[in-house]
Amino acid sequence: MKHLAKSAIAACCALAFAMPAAAQTDAANYPDKPIKLVVPFPAGGTSDVLGRMVGEKLSQAFGQSIIVENRAGANGNIGADYVARSAPDGYTLLLVDLGNLTISPSVYLNMPFHPLKDLTGVSILAYSPHLLVTSEKLPVKTQEELVAYAKANPGKVNFAAAAGIGSAPHMAGVLFAQKTGVDWNYIPYKGGAQALTDLVGGQVDATTNGMVATYPHVKNGKIRLLAVTSEKRLAQLPDVPTVSELIPGFVTGSWQGILAPTGTPDAIVEKLNAELNKIIQMPEIQEKMVTLGAEPMQMTPAEFNGWMRTQVENWAVVVKEAGIKID
């Protein structure tokens, strides 16, 4: 009996040592088959363009195909849920606008997943701010004048929720209203394109929306740019103030990042992070990002996950105060 007990213990110990070795071997050979990169938005948007751009370089580095798959819907939650339920083996990844992802847990009552529990950060890639813009018909030329006008006309300024209720552009408008004490009327849109069309036409008065889609209308003189939501003024728009100059600490926008299902081996996450950091530093990638109105970003997986927790907590406060909920 003692001999059998010792044999069993020895076998267990051998298995315990073998398991990490197997995990290391899997990471060393990763990837040995194509990787699916899920973009939870329609083709043609910033996430999609960035996903295909980065995916091409990642494919070259790994010698494996990177298949970009669009799974749009519910502010990115449909595609995110798909990835959260996928095998945690590094072969199904999510490229998402983190602005939306960190807001969703507070807005949606019945989310089938939670980004902090079911997904883990791999690499933040880029940041682009929202633009605070108004119709040319609105008699304001600065954000201070917008606040004064909105306070003088409570409930009469129509603010376009450019990507729907609970989206990052909508919540940027909600946060602005909370911090300045204005009361405006939110008009929901399914996407930024129609919101901008109505802003140009004067059917709505103001909005916050992503730089990539919005700035061309500013350049054409069809809408008025009041401020950007980045921490500091943009190098390409040095004369345009930031919202934080009026509201200290105000920063919103689109943070593009790649996540994996929780449980993905750390060695695989670290390998992906290291390779993506190299790609983000490539001059040609940085040049293309500038054309998208974005700036490259880098974080370790641990920093990424910490940043996500802070964002989720901060938006929960804003959403609770605004009383926004979606079934």
Side-chain angles (χ1 to χ4, degrees), residues 257-325:
I258 290 180
L259 301 99
T262 295
T264 301
D266 290 344
I268 289 178
V269 171
E270 294 288 349
K271 189 171 186 177
L272 282 164
N273 178 270
E275 201 58 54
L276 288 165
N277 284 345
K278 292 177 186 176
I279 292 170
I280 292 302
Q281 292 173 5
M282 293 179 179
E284 63 184 286
I285 296 296
Q286 296 199 358
E287 287 176 14
K288 289 179 181 178
M289 283 192 177
V290 170
T291 66
L292 292 173
E295 59 180 282
M297 286 191 71
Q298 289 181 304
M299 287 186 188
T300 65
E303 290 170 339
F304 187 172
N305 287 319
W307 178 89
M308 285 271 291
R309 283 192 296 273
T310 300
Q311 289 291 306
V312 169
E313 291 167 1
N314 290 347
W315 282 116
V317 175
V318 177
V319 170
K320 183 178 181 180
E321 183 178 333
I324 299 169
K325 290 294 179 183

Side-chain angles (χ1 to χ4, degrees), residues 83-84 86-89 114-121 259-265:
V83 174
S86 298
D89 56 9
H114 195 290
L116 299 183
K117 296 177 181 177
D118 302 314
L119 294 167
T120 189
L259 301 99
T262 295
T264 301

Side-chain angles (χ1 to χ4, degrees), residues 177-259:
Q178 288 179 355
K179 295 296 185 180
T180 57
V182 303
D183 175 23
W184 43 35
N185 184 36
Y186 295 100
I187 309 297
Y189 286 85
K190 291 183 178 180
Q194 186 57 49
L196 290 170
T197 297
D198 282 2
L199 187 66
V200 169
Q203 285 79 33
V204 289
D205 301 307
T207 194
T208 43
N209 195 43
M211 184 169 177
V212 177
T214 309
Y215 191 62
H217 297 289
V218 174
K219 287 175 64 177
N220 293 336
K222 295 181 178 180
I223 57 178
R224 185 176 292 125
L225 173 59
L226 305 186
V228 298
T229 66
S230 50
E231 182 180 1
K232 299 178 181 178
R233 293 194 181 196
L234 300 179
Q236 59 268 51
L237 298 172
D239 297 327
V240 179
T242 65
V243 175
S244 64
E245 291 172 33
L246 175 67
I247 308 169
F250 189 107
V251 178
T252 66
S254 171
W255 288 266
Q256 303 289 337
I258 290 180
L259 301 99

